[in-house]
Amino acid sequence: MKPIVVIPTYNRAQMVCDCVRSVLATNYPELEVIVVDDCSTGNCQEIVARYDGRFRCIRHDRNKGAFQARLTAIRSA
């Protein structure tokens, strides 16, 4: 079973970059990272697309709040 990291975000593109770099610094080669963009004004999908296939971004079509962002990631995992 591989570890899954969930990163919910709303208008925090720089923090997403920092989180992704932090995850990459770990020693887990079999890792999945799910970033849930809760309808930010920025585009986290472009940030996440820079990284390898372990990273994916799901974007809400409207702001649903932190709980729903986490729930989206859990359902996607």
Side-chain angles (χ1 to χ4, degrees), residues 6-59:
V6 172
I7 303 173
T9 184
Y10 177 71
N11 288 337
R12 299 281 188 252
Q14 183 56 46
M15 290 181 87
V16 170
C17 289
D18 294 344
C19 286
V20 168
R21 280 189 227 115
S22 178
V23 169
L24 287 171
T26 67
N27 292 326
Y28 293 103
E30 294 294 320
L31 183 71
E32 180 179 356
V33 180
I34 303 171
V35 177
V36 180
D37 181 355
D38 197 24
C39 198
S40 297
T41 54
N43 193 351
C44 286
Q45 289 177 325
E46 290 177 6
I47 294 168
V48 174
R50 298 177 195 160
Y51 300 97
D52 61 43
R54 298 177 294 174
F55 296 82
R56 60 186 163 121
C57 184
I58 301 169
R59 181 173 165 77

Side-chain angles (χ1 to χ4, degrees), residues 37-39 59-64:
D37 181 355
D38 197 24
C39 198
R59 181 173 165 77
H60 284 167
D61 57 349
R62 62 182 175 82
N63 185 273
K64 298 179 181 182

